[in-house]
């Protein structure tokens, strides 16, 4: 009984201490907010000047508009991991402005390469492994240890930013050129197309054989049986079975031909690269972002000014 009473007292003390800690933290936060507001009022000219500088800087940085286009890339040869590993270096080339490498990889001029601001690729994630893409992993939140979700191997999301919207008109050709420089992709795609041609040829031969067999069977059976109505119905029924098999093979052949002709290259795009009419770096958006950033910078500068004597005294203090 005494132990239970002691446990109850300990629990009450713990909750009391927790409440006191939270209240003290809240008071410190309110005190900090009050001090910041008072500082902003006292040094309003410094902070206002910093905010104006930030707004002008945002407008200045947005003077060259950057437009974005996204498209799904269907993978016909190899898998999405392989292509992402190829595209990721392009992102670094754009980030660190290695325009010579961009021009070489895409087979374009240096001036055109300078207009490409960003290139990225993102995985499609299939939740519950049902063969349907559920979301695009823009933020890299996919967890490989989660066995219920898988990376889809047959597609990628391609994001391209350009300073000139005319660059998007031939972006598919630029990627085709880029991938064509990889001998492994070319080899695997040629093997895939050769296998499709072999399947088409085999299906065609099977159709011809079945058609010949159907005609021969029909005339032989028609000659051998007496022309009674019941027996001819049986013959016609058997001929219909041949017809259904031939029709199924014809559909199979058309699907193979379509796959070969439509997906001729190692990759294909679901649509053209159509840029969003609204730039990524809109003037108002960047101006607001830099204004907020420079507000905090202004608070820091004002704090240094107010506490400059303490800071100087601390620095001059002997160790």
């Amino acid at each position: 009984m005494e132990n239970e009473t002691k446990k109850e007292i300990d629990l009450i003390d713990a909750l009391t201490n927790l409440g006191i800690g939270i209240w003290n933290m809240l008071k410190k936060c309110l005190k900090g907010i009050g001090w910041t507001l008072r500082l902003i009022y006292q040094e309003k000219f410094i902070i206002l000047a910093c905010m104006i500088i930030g707004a002008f800087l945002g407008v200045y940085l947005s003077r060259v508009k950057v437009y974005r286009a996204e498209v799904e890339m269907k993978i016909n040869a190899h898998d999405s991991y392989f292509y992402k590993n190829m595209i990721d270096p392009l992102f670094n080339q754009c980030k660190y402005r290695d325009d010579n490498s961009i021009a070489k990889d895409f087979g374009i001029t240096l001036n055109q390469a300078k207009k490409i601001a960003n290139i990225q690729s993102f995985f499609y994630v299939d939740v519950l492994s049902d063969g349907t893409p559920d979301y695009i992993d823009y933020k890299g939140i996919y967890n490989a240890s989660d066995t219920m979700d898988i990376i889809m191997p047959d597609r990628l999301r391609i994001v391209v930013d350009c300073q000139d919207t005319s660059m998007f008109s031939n972006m598919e050709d630029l990627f085709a050129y880029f991938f064509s420089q990889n001998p492994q992709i070319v080899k695997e795609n040629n093997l895939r197309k050769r296998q499709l041609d072999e399947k088409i040829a085999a299906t065609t031969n099977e159709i011809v054989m079945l058609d010949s067999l159907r005609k021969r069977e029909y005339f032989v059976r028609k000659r051998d049986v007496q022309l009674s109505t019941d027996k001819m119905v049986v013959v016609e029924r058997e001929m219909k079975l041949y017809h259904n098999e031939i029709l199924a093979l014809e559909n199979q052949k058309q699907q193979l031909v379509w796959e070969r002709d439509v997906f001729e290259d190692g990759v294909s795009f679901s649509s053209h690269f159509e840029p969003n009419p609204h730039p990524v770096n809109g003037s108002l958006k960047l101006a607001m972002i830099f204004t907020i950033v420079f507000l905090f910078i202004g608070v820091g500068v004002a704090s240094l000014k107010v506490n400059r004597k303490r800071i100087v005294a601390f620095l001059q203090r002997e160790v």
Side-chain angles (χ1 to χ4, degrees), residues 41-106:
Y41 177 76
Q42 292 174 350
E43 304 296 335
K44 51 184 172 292
F45 295 108
I46 292 177
I47 294 174
L48 182 61
C50 290
M51 293 175 66
I52 292 174
I53 292 172
F56 275 107
L57 182 60
V59 173
Y60 175 77
L61 293 176
S62 65
R63 70 193 187 283
V64 179
K65 303 300 181 185
V66 176
Y67 297 88
R68 173 167 294 177
E70 296 187 28
V71 68
E72 178 182 312
M73 185 178 77
K74 179 73 170 60
I75 297 171
N76 307 317
H78 227 294
D79 59 30
S80 56
Y81 288 97
F82 180 83
Y83 282 91
K84 184 167 176 55
N85 287 334
M86 284 188 65
I87 296 172
D88 283 348
L90 296 175
F91 169 74
N92 292 325
Q93 291 171 11
C94 293
K95 181 178 180 180
Y96 299 108
R97 296 319 314 163
D98 187 1
D99 297 325
N100 289 317
S101 296
I102 297 173
K104 180 181 178 182
D105 288 339
F106 283 124

Side-chain angles (χ1 to χ4, degrees), residues 120-262:
Q120 288 180 274
S121 62
F122 301 94
F123 287 121
Y124 282 84
V125 179
D126 176 11
V127 178
L128 302 179
S129 305
D130 58 0
T132 304
D134 293 287
Y135 68 89
I136 303 170
D137 193 19
Y138 288 113
K139 298 181 180 180
I141 61 175
Y142 168 73
N143 185 6
S145 62
D146 188 350
T147 57
M148 298 298 294
D149 302 346
I150 63 170
I151 295 293
M152 301 196 74
D154 63 342
R155 67 195 72 194
L156 278 176
R157 190 71 173 181
I158 305 299
V159 177
V160 180
D161 298 340
C162 291
Q163 298 175 0
D164 185 356
T165 55
S166 65
M167 289 292 297
F168 292 108
S169 60
N170 63 337
M171 191 58 64
E172 296 166 57
D173 296 331
L174 299 186
F175 273 101
Y177 176 85
F178 172 64
F179 293 132
S180 69
Q181 303 305 301
N182 188 295
Q184 186 172 352
I185 292 178
V186 175
K187 182 179 179 180
E188 290 194 17
N189 192 51
N190 289 336
L191 175 61
R192 180 184 66 88
K193 291 193 292 185
R194 186 164 62 248
Q195 290 175 341
L196 285 173
D197 287 334
E198 292 173 354
K199 289 180 180 179
I200 292 171
T203 305
T204 302
N205 291 336
E206 193 169 353
I207 291 172
V208 172
M209 291 176 59
L210 278 176
D211 188 53
S212 299
L213 184 61
R214 179 187 63 174
K215 293 177 181 178
R216 179 178 179 279
E217 188 76 14
Y218 178 78
F219 288 110
V220 169
R221 294 291 298 274
K222 186 177 180 180
R223 182 192 62 190
D224 294 343
V225 302
Q226 296 179 358
L227 298 181
S228 64
T229 303
D230 294 339
K231 292 181 179 180
M232 285 305 301
V233 168
V234 174
V235 173
E236 294 291 345
R237 187 176 299 166
E238 292 177 353
M239 295 305 103
K240 188 175 181 180
L241 294 176
Y242 280 111
H243 175 75
N244 292 337
E245 291 184 22
I246 293 173
L247 185 61
L249 289 172
E250 288 283 0
N251 292 333
Q252 180 181 334
K253 178 183 175 181
Q254 290 177 4
Q255 180 64 30
L256 292 171
V257 172
W258 179 83
E259 181 179 350
R260 181 195 62 188
D261 295 341
V262 174

